[in-house]
Amino acid sequence: MKILQSKYTNSFFVLLTVTGLLSSCYKPKKHFLQASGNYVLALRTQGTNSTTDYLLSMDTINTASKNISATGNGIEQLAWCYFGSTGSTVFSFSYGTNNVGIGYGVREGGGLYEKGRFSFERMDCFGKGDDNTLVAIGAPWGGGSYDCQIQLIDATTMSIKKKKLTPLYMRDGSDKLNKWPTSIVVNDNKMYVSFYPLDGGSWNTDLTDTAYVTIYSYPAMDSLTTIKDTRTGPIGYYGNQVNMIKSENGDIYTLSPSSLAAGYTQVTRKSGILRIKNGQQSFDPSYFFDVETASGGAKVLSATYAGNGLLVARLQIPGSDDISKLWAAFDVTIPICKIAIIDLNNKTVTDVTDIPVHGGQYGAQGLVEDGKVYLSVTSTIAGEARIYAIDPLTATATKAAKIEGLEVPAIYKIVN
């Protein structure tokens, strides 16, 4: 097996090879009995030569003495995975010898069972359409075509029920840049897709002075318009992060990292947050939150919406953004991240000092329950990987379940 060499960092090597090299050696997968409980977690562990992904169920995650472990519990996935959820279904999307999507449900009393599976070509970005539909977008990996494939996945039949081939956006006839989707929000019969332009061969990002969102009708998926704003850079970044947030009133907030660690090869705008008011097809000219200035130089990477205008956000710490950190936001071993509470209404950033500085990761979807946000944190400084329960009102956190592995890329609670 030929191993590709990166001209940037080891993190970029992981980016380019993880969906193939870490997962291509197929072997029969073990299916353990599932523990009771309605919490469903994705667990990534590190072996001698590769990582292994599991889905497992638990009855609680908010106890510090509880261990998240695949020992005797968990369904080993076919390869390295992305994860998504809608309604009462959790999906894993395995990238290996064959790309396979598998849907899981939770039995009464707890425990996972397989609902069905389907094949796919590429799926790189996910969002909830409705309780029975997951939206997935496949990006043009490695250049080539400038079209993306929008796919609607039926959680009832475990099949792709509709596809739409689209370039997301073309500036003009000479535009030779791919558009990589970063986040999906469905609201008011419209689908909002953020993206960033890049050269699909080199991964260089030569256009970083504008935020872009293309708006489609939903579920028809007809392209309506592409909106742009030059107050900050492109929204989101690679890796199925959460980069667009829908609030209770339907307003959508967008996160622009403007970060080399997030894979941008240049930075020309401050990291910031824009708003699209409910039902509108334009950025709100009256709202811009310069997160980088308000935080003393930190950059917002991803976030979980906790309600009442509060985000529990993963930020890149000030002074950690140089070319040597290119793609570092995906590496759990490089401690450049912190957790903070972002108040969208008052435009403030408050650090959660109970959580150590830690590494980044793919996905990292949080769970909101009973006023707390549960997030995966892997810290070489603290010497452990753990779930933290974060109180957004007080900007405090307590240790929850310990992770026996690298990270937990996704946390869900399924209620049948």
Side-chain angles (χ1 to χ4, degrees):
M1 183 183 299
K2 183 178 179 181
I3 298 178
L4 302 177
Q5 296 297 321
S6 167
K7 65 178 180 179
Y8 297 121
T9 66
N10 289 332
S11 298
F12 190 43
F13 162 78
V14 172
L15 166 76
L16 290 176
T17 61
V18 73
T19 59
L21 299 182
L22 295 182
S23 307
S24 60
C25 300
Y26 178 82
K27 61 182 184 293
K29 302 304 175 184
K30 300 172 183 177
H31 290 247
F32 294 114
L33 292 175
Q34 290 294 298
S36 62
N38 291 82
Y39 293 95
V40 179
L41 296 91
L43 173 64
R44 182 161 296 144
T45 64
Q46 179 67 59
T48 303
N49 299 310
S50 65
T51 58
T52 302
D53 285 1
Y54 299 86
L55 268 183
L56 52 89
S57 55
M58 295 180 65
D59 59 354
T60 184
I61 60 172
N62 63 3
T63 304
S65 60
K66 193 80 171 180
N67 287 348
I68 301 170
S69 172
T71 301
N73 175 38
I75 301 174
E76 186 178 348
Q77 300 303 290
L78 301 177
W80 190 95
C81 294
Y82 281 133
F83 299 92
S85 178
T86 188
S88 59
T89 304
V90 172
F91 292 89
S92 73
F93 298 90
S94 297
Y95 290 81
T97 305
N98 299 298
N99 294 346
V100 178
I102 306 176
Y104 295 92
V106 176
R107 297 184 182 90
E108 282 192 34
L112 292 174
Y113 71 94
E114 185 175 314
K115 299 175 73 173
R117 58 179 63 191
F118 53 91
S119 298
F120 64 91
E121 294 180 16
R122 285 214 62 86
M123 292 182 177
D124 301 279
C125 181
F126 305 90
K128 179 180 177 179
D130 54 52
D131 282 345
N132 294 312
T133 307
L134 188 75
V135 183
I137 301 180
W141 183 268
S145 170
Y146 299 102
D147 287 329
C148 290
Q149 183 84 262
I150 303 176
Q151 299 149 94
L152 303 186
I153 304 167
D154 191 318
T156 303
T157 63
M158 288 299 139
S159 63
I160 300 172
K161 62 182 179 180
K162 189 171 185 177
K163 295 181 180 181
K164 173 80 172 186
L165 200 63
T166 172
L168 292 184
Y169 170 67
M170 294 295 287
R171 289 181 298 141
D172 54 49
S174 62
D175 187 4
K176 299 300 182 184
L177 294 176
N178 299 112
K179 312 302 183 300
W180 195 276
T182 58
S183 214
I184 304 166
V185 170
V186 172
N187 184 50
D188 189 35
N189 297 317
K190 298 180 183 66
M191 182 174 71
Y192 298 77
V193 180
S194 60
F195 62 87
Y196 69 100
L198 59 83
D199 182 294
S202 67
W203 287 78
N204 288 334
T205 54
D206 295 333
L207 288 177
T208 56
D209 61 355
T210 304
Y212 303 88
V213 172
T214 293
I215 305 172
Y216 296 86
S217 61
Y218 181 84
M221 297 191 294
D222 296 322
S223 179
L224 302 176
T225 187
T226 297
I227 60 176
K228 296 173 281 186
D229 198 301
T230 58
R231 289 175 291 176
T232 187
I235 298 157
Y237 61 112
Y238 178 92
N240 195 33
Q241 319 296 330
V242 180
N243 303 123
M244 288 201 295
I245 304 290
K246 183 170 71 171
S247 66
E248 297 93 336
N249 66 0
D251 289 352
I252 297 171
Y253 293 87
T254 67
L255 314 181
S256 295
S258 293
S259 161
L260 298 174
Y264 288 90
T265 56
Q266 66 172 7
V267 171
T268 53
R269 292 287 188 270
K270 292 286 188 68
S271 175
I273 299 176
L274 299 168
R275 178 171 66 188
I276 305 168
K277 299 197 78 171
N278 185 24
Q280 299 302 302
Q281 296 185 47
S282 60
F283 288 106
D284 182 355
S286 69
Y287 186 91
F288 175 60
F289 184 5
D290 182 345
V291 172
E292 194 165 342
T293 298
S295 65
K299 298 167 181 280
V300 59
L301 296 174
S302 61
T304 300
Y305 186 63
N308 298 314
L310 298 178
L311 303 180
V312 174
R314 199 180 306 271
L315 276 65
Q316 183 182 337
I317 61 176
S320 64
D321 207 40
D322 58 70
I323 197 65
S324 70
K325 297 293 192 301
L326 189 64
W327 297 104
F330 303 92
D331 193 331
V332 296
T333 69
I334 302 177
I336 61 168
C337 296
K338 64 179 179 178
I339 302 298
I341 308 303
I342 292 179
D343 188 326
L344 295 169
N345 299 321
N346 295 312
K347 297 183 179 178
T348 59
V349 180
T350 306
D351 289 350
V352 180
T353 57
D354 300 314
I355 299 177
V357 173
H358 55 279
Q361 63 182 83
Y362 289 83
Q365 299 171 46
L367 172 69
V368 181
E369 184 179 38
D370 297 331
K372 302 287 181 64
V373 174
Y374 293 85
L375 281 181
S376 172
V377 170
T378 301
S379 175
T380 55
I381 294 174
E384 66 176 9
R386 185 177 288 279
I387 302 296
Y388 280 84
I390 304 157
D391 186 336
L393 296 178
T394 61
T396 59
T398 57
K399 289 184 176 182
K402 186 175 182 179
I403 300 168
E404 293 188 2
L406 286 176
E407 60 192 355
V408 168
I411 313 170
Y412 308 104
K413 187 173 185 182
I414 300 300
V415 179
N416 293 315

